[in-house]
Amino acid sequence: MKKNKVAIHIPAIDNKSETKKGFLRASEVLSLEKLLRESPAIDFMGNIDFHKVRVENNKFVSEGVDLAETDLFFWFAPNMQKSIPLLSALNNHTRVIKNPVSFATTADKFLAHSLLKSKGLPVAEFALISCDDIDMMKSLLAEWKTLILKPRLGSFGRGIIKIDKLETLRDIAGMLRMEHQQKNIFIEKFYENDPEEWTSTTLINGKIIYGYRKKLEKFADWKVYDPKAIGGGSFWVDPQPVKALAEKAAATLDTSIVGFDFIKTQEGYKIVDENNFPGFYPECFEKAEKEESRLIADLIISSLSV
C-alpha cells in the first residue's frame, strides 16, 4: 500500500492557557501527530513551521522538507493571513487544507455573505456601497432604520459600529476614504435579537461538532467585543436548531473547518458572521463526546482519497 506524504503546520498553546480560537492545545497536537504517524495510509513528514518556508524554482522547503513534494499539507493557524498567496502557490503543487481560496472567501464578510445568499441561506441583509454614495446611505437607513458598519476582514467584534443617523454614517465613510483610502464600506441590517439566543457553531469536515454561546460578560451592549482577540468565555449549546443551515453553509463555502454565528430574529435564524477559526473549546468537545485530534486526523485521511 502506497503511503501518502503528509505535513502539517499547527502551532500549539500550553494546556494551562485559555484555549484561543484557531489553536489546538499542545496535548491535542501531540495526539494528532501520533495518529498520523500510526496511520497505514500516511508517511508523516512532521509539524513544519510554514513561516520558515523558502521557495526556489517551485521547491517550498522548510526544516528540510519540500512541501511541494507532499501529497497533502494541512495548516490551522490564525496568524497566516499574509501567507495566503504563498499557500495558494503551494496549492498548485499539492493539496492544501485549509484551502487558501476558500479561506480567502470565508475571511471576507462581503464575499462570504454574497456566496451564501446566492444559495438561499439566511444571511443578514447586506450592502457594499461607495464611501461617497450619500443617496444609497439615505436609502438604506430609510429601509433598515438601523444598520451595522463592519470591516470586511474584521473579527472579535472590533471595528463594528451600530448606526441610525445619516450624519454618522456619512462622516465615518468620509474618514475611512480620506485616512485609509477605502473606496467602499460593508453594511448589514441590524436585527433586534436576544444575546441569550445566539448560537455559534464549530464544523469540521462538513459536520457540525457543537454549538456554543458567549457568556454575557463577553458582550459590550449588543455585540461580542474581544479587543485582545483571546476567545474563550463560552459554553456548550445544542446546535440542532441551526445544524442543517450550518452544514449547508459549510458545503457552500467548501471549507474544511469553519464556524457560523447565528442570531434569532422575528424572521428566523440569520447568519451574521463566518469564522475561519471557530471556537475550539475543550469543555465543548467533551460535552459533544468528540476529540479534536481524532476529528482532524479523520479529516486529513478522508481528504487523501478525494
Side-chain angles (χ1 to χ4, degrees):
M1 178 181 179
K2 176 184 176 294
K3 287 195 172 187
N4 297 275
K5 293 182 178 180
V6 172
I8 64 175
H9 169 68
I10 307 179
I13 62 168
D14 189 277
N15 281 338
K16 296 179 182 178
S17 301
E18 183 177 6
T19 302
K20 296 181 180 179
K21 294 181 77 172
F23 288 103
L24 271 70
R25 293 167 292 160
S27 60
E28 288 297 324
V29 174
L30 290 173
S31 177
L32 172 61
E33 292 173 356
K34 183 174 184 291
L35 289 168
L36 296 178
R37 278 195 299 269
E38 293 176 349
S39 170
I42 289 175
D43 179 8
F44 183 52
M45 309 304 292
N47 193 348
I48 308 298
D49 187 348
F50 191 77
H51 296 295
K52 296 180 179 179
V53 164
R54 293 181 176 180
V55 182
E56 182 180 357
N57 296 324
N58 287 335
K59 293 182 181 294
F60 292 69
V61 179
S62 178
E63 300 179 30
V65 176
D66 181 2
L67 298 177
E69 293 296 321
T70 63
D71 296 291
L72 186 146
F73 176 66
F74 176 87
W75 65 278
F76 193 53
N79 57 346
M80 297 281 281
Q81 187 71 40
K82 293 181 179 179
S83 297
I84 294 303
L86 194 56
L87 286 163
S88 297
L90 177 61
N91 198 43
N92 293 326
H93 303 279
T94 187
R95 183 161 193 186
V96 175
I97 300 176
K98 301 169 54 96
N99 181 285
V101 175
S102 300
F103 177 91
T105 299
T106 304
D108 187 315
K109 299 184 190 309
F110 168 64
L111 295 180
H113 272 32
S114 181
L115 180 55
L116 294 180
K117 188 173 182 64
S118 74
K119 300 301 181 182
L121 283 151
V123 297
E125 291 189 54
F126 65 93
L128 184 72
I129 66 173
S130 167
C131 289
D132 298 324
D133 195 341
I134 306 300
D135 288 339
M136 187 63 173
M137 295 179 194
K138 289 180 181 178
S139 176
L140 289 172
L141 279 167
E143 180 182 358
W144 294 347
K145 310 304 180 188
T146 304
L147 51 79
I148 299 173
L149 179 66
K150 286 186 174 182
R152 285 176 61 176
L153 301 177
S155 60
F156 296 100
R158 295 171 296 185
I160 299 177
I161 305 170
K162 185 166 71 170
I163 298 172
D164 58 9
K165 291 183 173 59
L166 175 63
E167 294 80 8
T168 304
L169 180 57
R170 178 200 63 201
D171 291 348
I172 292 175
M175 182 274 293
L176 290 172
R177 185 169 184 81
M178 291 184 65
E179 297 295 326
H180 301 282
Q181 290 74 54
Q182 189 169 318
K183 294 182 179 180
N184 302 302
I185 51 175
F186 177 71
I187 296 170
E188 280 183 2
K189 177 181 177 179
F190 174 77
Y191 298 83
E192 293 292 341
N193 67 92
D194 184 350
E196 294 190 12
E197 292 187 306
W198 282 34
T199 301
S200 296
T201 55
T202 293
L203 297 95
I204 300 176
N205 208 11
K207 300 298 182 183
I208 199 160
I209 307 304
Y210 56 75
Y212 63 94
R213 185 172 299 144
K214 293 291 185 180
K215 297 177 182 177
L216 290 181
E217 60 260 30
K218 282 288 185 178
F219 280 79
D221 191 13
W222 54 275
K223 69 175 183 177
V224 171
Y225 183 58
D226 187 358
K228 295 182 179 179
I230 61 173
S234 302
F235 59 94
W236 181 93
V237 296
D238 183 6
Q240 196 61 36
V242 298
K243 177 179 183 293
L245 292 174
E247 291 184 350
K248 181 179 178 181
T252 298
L253 292 175
D254 190 26
T255 184
S256 53
I257 299 178
V258 70
F260 302 97
D261 293 340
F262 291 85
I263 61 171
K264 191 175 183 181
T265 74
Q266 292 182 345
E267 302 171 15
Y269 284 101
K270 297 282 186 183
I271 297 173
V272 294
D273 202 8
E274 304 86 4
N275 304 307
N276 269 309
F277 302 106
F280 264 52
Y281 302 123
E283 62 277 13
C284 292
F285 279 104
E286 183 177 349
K287 179 76 173 179
E289 299 182 339
K290 303 288 186 180
E291 296 178 4
E292 303 101 302
S293 56
R294 172 59 66 181
L295 289 166
I296 293 177
D298 289 346
L299 164 62
I300 291 171
I301 292 168
S302 66
S303 298
L304 290 169
S305 60
V306 174

